[in-house]
Amino acid sequence: MLILGIETSCDETGVALYDSEQGLLAHALFSQVDMHADYGGVVPELASRDHVRKLLPLCDEVLERGSRKRADLDGIAYTAGPGLVGALMVGGSVAHALGFALGVPVLGVHHMEGHLLAPMLEEQPPAFPFVALLVSGGHTQLVQVDGIGQYRLLGESVDDAAGEAFDKAAKMLGLDYPGGPRVAALAEQGRDGRYKFPRPMTDRPGLDFSFSGLKTFTLNTVTAADQAGTLDDQTRADIARAFETAVVDTLAIKCRRALQQTGCRRLVMAGGVSANRRLRSALAEMAQKLRAEVFYARPEFCTDNGAMIAYAGCQRLLAGQRDGERIVAVPRWPMDQLPPLEAECLDGLAPQR
């Protein structure tokens, strides 16, 4: 089954071509980061307009890269949510228009399920069951995954997501958008131990997260250094190092608890923050102590992309799921509402070619 995947949930226009037998054939991504940098964050209306301009040319580019034509498609998958409703409508509109013109089924896919399944595109995908850490600008969740659509929420952030906290810390430190990668880069120049930041909610049982207090602690630290006249480049780097270390330690502690609580020996890390080098290192060290395995997608598939939507959509289209005539756009959409798939419906987790 040949599926075209479309991702337009926020400020990345992603398209990919996935074959259930041959794997990922081609993918392309256009980032709007430069456009939104002038505003210090994503402007929803501008994001939607840019998706309109870029989406169809990217679809044609991916088909050409995959040596396929529109008439070869067996189905189309698009991100139906969560996300910015205008951006979601652009992807849904294009998907339904193409599906209607070609006479093929169309299906709206859950954005976070796409992230969760992105490691399945690697040569050595994880087997079920596993614990997933979904960590991005909008979500921080721990989920027990027994199969596609078989999700049990173990814990989530009660306020800011980890990626959101990174972006806000970046603004406090005078860094440009996107904040997360810039904080991580600055932290590389920081010194360990100059500042000691709290590890929120690690001194109590449970698997929920909270990063708003850490954000406030960062602001107070920056303000105190500024008032004392010591907020130079090295101090900013030291604060970035302390902030990043606190986030990484918090995530690692909660992941260890989740593995111990569930008895799983496989941890999947997905979402934009999963590309963070220190986080990968900390989780690898934690997993080694527990004799567990850690899986994650390559960096280009950690952030929003069309490949994860094409893969997730392919699994559900193979199971016979499809949209009706109406475009689906759900800005808020709990993942545990998704229907489970039977094992025989899957394509065998075909590797990338």
Side-chain angles (χ1 to χ4, degrees):
M1 192 174 199
L2 184 65
I3 303 301
L4 183 72
I6 295 173
E7 156 60 24
T8 62
S9 65
C10 191
D11 62 338
E12 310 277 2
T13 311
V15 180
L17 194 62
Y18 181 84
D19 187 277
S20 59
E21 295 181 358
Q22 300 179 53
L24 185 64
L25 302 181
H27 65 95
L29 183 74
F30 179 82
S31 174
Q32 302 175 4
V33 165
D34 292 341
M35 177 177 66
H36 296 291
D38 293 338
Y39 302 93
V42 177
V43 181
E45 180 63 25
L46 295 181
S48 300
R49 292 179 183 179
D50 213 50
H51 288 313
V52 171
R53 286 190 290 267
K54 297 297 191 302
L55 187 50
L56 278 176
L58 275 182
C59 289
D60 291 337
E61 177 183 334
V62 165
L63 286 166
E64 183 177 354
R65 287 186 188 180
S67 300
R68 300 293 191 276
K69 299 177 180 179
R70 292 184 183 180
D72 297 326
L73 294 174
D74 297 308
I76 301 171
Y78 66 96
T79 300
L84 303 175
V85 66
L88 295 171
M89 286 298 295
V90 174
S93 298
V94 171
H96 271 263
L98 287 174
F100 180 80
L102 298 172
V104 298
V106 178
L107 180 66
V109 172
H110 195 289
H111 179 75
M112 296 310 295
E113 182 173 65
H115 275 304
L116 186 151
L117 296 177
M120 299 297 187
L121 292 163
E122 302 303 318
E123 291 185 1
Q124 295 182 331
F128 300 115
F130 56 77
V131 169
L133 171 65
L134 301 176
V135 56
S136 66
H139 299 80
T140 302
Q141 298 177 329
L142 279 166
V143 181
Q144 180 174 333
V145 181
D146 294 323
I148 295 180
Q150 300 176 45
Y151 309 131
R152 182 167 69 91
L153 182 64
L154 302 173
E156 61 183 341
S157 179
V158 299
D159 41 56
D160 291 353
E164 183 182 2
F166 264 102
D167 289 340
K168 290 179 178 177
K171 290 184 179 181
M172 298 172 196
L173 293 168
L175 302 175
D176 293 333
Y177 174 84
R182 298 186 188 279
V183 170
L186 183 60
E188 291 294 320
Q189 306 168 33
R191 297 169 295 189
D192 271 329
R194 181 177 177 186
Y195 294 101
K196 178 66 175 179
F197 280 28
R199 276 59 172 163
M201 296 184 72
T202 58
D203 58 349
R204 67 187 74 175
L207 295 173
D208 285 334
F209 302 90
S210 172
F211 294 104
S212 64
L214 185 59
K215 176 190 64 178
T216 302
F217 194 94
T218 304
L219 177 60
N220 291 340
T221 304
V222 171
T223 301
D226 188 32
Q227 292 175 347
T230 60
L231 191 61
D232 55 14
D233 289 344
Q234 185 60 57
T235 297
R236 286 188 174 88
D238 293 342
I239 294 173
R241 181 66 168 264
F243 171 82
E244 182 186 51
T245 301
V247 173
V248 167
D249 284 353
T250 299
L251 293 171
I253 290 169
K254 297 289 186 172
C255 286
R256 184 183 69 241
R257 287 184 187 175
L259 290 173
Q260 292 173 331
Q261 177 178 308
T262 61
C264 288
R265 287 294 175 262
R266 286 179 290 272
L267 175 69
V268 166
M269 179 173 56
V273 182
S274 67
N276 183 279
R277 185 183 64 82
R278 292 187 185 279
L279 178 58
R280 291 192 175 202
S281 177
L283 292 182
E285 181 179 351
M286 177 274 298
Q288 185 177 19
K289 292 178 180 178
L290 294 180
R291 297 182 179 179
E293 297 178 276
V294 180
F295 300 84
Y296 41 74
R298 72 201 77 169
E300 63 189 310
F301 292 158
C302 289
T303 55
D304 296 349
N305 63 88
M308 67 183 193
I309 301 303
Y311 177 84
C314 183
Q315 310 314 307
R316 292 189 172 275
L317 284 164
L318 282 169
Q321 296 182 20
R322 61 184 65 191
D323 284 357
E325 295 181 355
R326 300 180 63 180
I327 299 168
V328 180
V330 189
R332 297 178 182 273
W333 189 4
M335 198 166 60
D336 57 9
Q337 294 181 358
L338 297 175
L341 298 191
E342 299 296 334
E344 59 267 22
C345 295
L346 306 184
D347 69 2
L349 305 182
Q352 179 187 12
R353 186 174 68 175

